[in-house]
Amino acid sequence: AQTVTQSQPEMSVQEAETVTLSCTYDTSESDYYLFWYKQPPSRQMILVIRQEAYKQQNATENRFSVNFQKAAKSFSLKISDSQLGDAAMYFCALYWPGGGADGLTFGKGTHLIIQP
Amino acid sequence: GAVVSQHPSWVICKSGTSVKIECRSLDFQATTMFWYRQFPKQSLMLMATSNEGSKATYEQGVEKDKFLINHASLTLSTLTVTSAHPEDSSFYICSASGWGADTQYFGPGTRLTVL
């Protein structure tokens, strides 16, 4: 079974500052994908960033970047120059395409608050 | 690109009735669609995976006779909650991915309230 753990139920950061959200996971597979999704109050799930496990290079999307440590099974999200629109629930998710049910395994989420 | 719609966005029904939720991929062919359930202030839990033209695969603990899933075309999947009860009240979210794709794109969700 695969598990995803987000140990920070809530994080708060000043606008324009940098914040890092933690995520650890457990899987016995070697080829998988990791994602960060954002869920604002509208509840629409929005893809923030994805990482292929076979790639050593950390993914980056504008102000969002990850620190992927495969051996440690860690996948943290760094948000630089935080903006008010970044306020949302952030979910870390794991996907392994080889299983019978190919859905995402989500962590419990981190509520990110942006202080103006 | 990669837009997924859901309809309705919210629905209120009486206990014992059935409710159908539609999930459509608008600009790509969704070979696989997924249905998730999210309770307030909780994470998303996968209910079932459906491949176009095949029977859905349900997660352990999800009653397939209660949550009927149909994926008859490459752009449409439906979830029917049969004989709904108040405990079925929840937020239902679908997602879709294309052939060989590893990334899922989510619909906006449907809030179901059963009275």
Side-chain angles (χ1 to χ4, degrees):
Chain A
Q2 299 168 115
T3 59
V4 176
T5 302
Q6 293 178 250
S7 58
Q8 305 154 315
E10 186 173 282
M11 292 282 285
S12 181
V13 64
Q14 291 288 130
E15 193 176 2
E17 299 283 297
T18 295
V19 64
T20 298
L21 308 184
S22 301
C23 173
T24 58
Y25 60 94
D26 190 25
T27 178
S28 58
E29 305 302 325
S30 59
D31 191 16
Y32 50 89
Y33 301 82
L34 293 160
F35 303 85
W36 279 97
Y37 282 91
K38 167 184 175 180
Q39 188 179 42
S42 68
R43 302 191 79 173
Q44 168 76 59
M45 294 289 284
I46 301 167
L47 176 66
V48 175
I49 201 164
R50 67 187 278 275
Q51 173 83 43
E52 297 97 327
Y54 63 86
K55 287 188 176 179
Q56 291 187 334
Q57 187 173 7
N58 290 321
T60 299
E61 287 288 342
N62 301 312
R63 298 183 295 108
F64 299 88
S65 61
V66 298
N67 183 2
F68 174 48
Q69 302 288 330
K70 190 171 184 179
K73 296 182 178 176
S74 171
F75 183 61
S76 61
L77 174 70
K78 186 173 83 171
I79 306 174
S80 303
D81 185 26
S82 298
Q83 300 175 2
L84 294 177
D86 295 333
M89 283 293 291
Y90 285 80
F91 292 98
C92 178
L94 170 69
Y95 171 64
W96 174 55
D102 296 339
L104 291 159
T105 300
F106 285 93
K108 292 186 181 296
T110 297
H111 181 209
L112 178 63
I113 298 168
I114 310 295
Q115 305 276 9
Chain B
V3 179
V4 177
S5 70
Q6 261 183 263
H7 178 80
S9 56
W10 61 269
V11 57
I12 302 173
C13 69
K14 292 182 178 180
S15 185
T17 60
S18 295
V19 174
K20 180 184 284 188
I21 302 170
E22 292 186 349
C23 177
R24 294 182 185 272
S25 57
L26 300 185
D27 53 1
F28 68 102
Q29 294 187 326
T31 51
T32 307
M33 286 185 166
F34 307 85
W35 289 94
Y36 296 84
R37 186 172 181 176
Q38 186 180 32
F39 289 106
K41 299 188 185 301
Q42 293 190 25
S43 189
L44 282 73
M45 296 297 294
L46 178 67
M47 298 175 66
T49 302
S50 72
N51 291 295
E52 186 263 337
S54 301
K55 288 186 178 179
T57 301
Y58 290 81
E59 290 296 287
Q60 193 171 8
V62 178
E63 299 175 59
K64 62 180 180 181
D65 293 332
K66 181 168 189 59
F67 298 99
L68 300 178
I69 292 171
N70 183 278
H71 190 171
S73 79
L74 286 172
T75 59
L76 174 65
S77 176
T78 60
L79 167 67
T80 301
V81 183
T82 62
S83 187
H85 288 94
E87 57 266 29
D88 298 324
S89 298
S90 188
F91 192 65
Y92 293 88
I93 309 176
C94 74
S95 70
S97 63
W99 177 256
D102 51 81
T103 300
Q104 296 177 28
Y105 296 93
F106 285 81
T110 297
R111 181 182 301 280
L112 170 64
T113 301
V114 185
L115 302 177

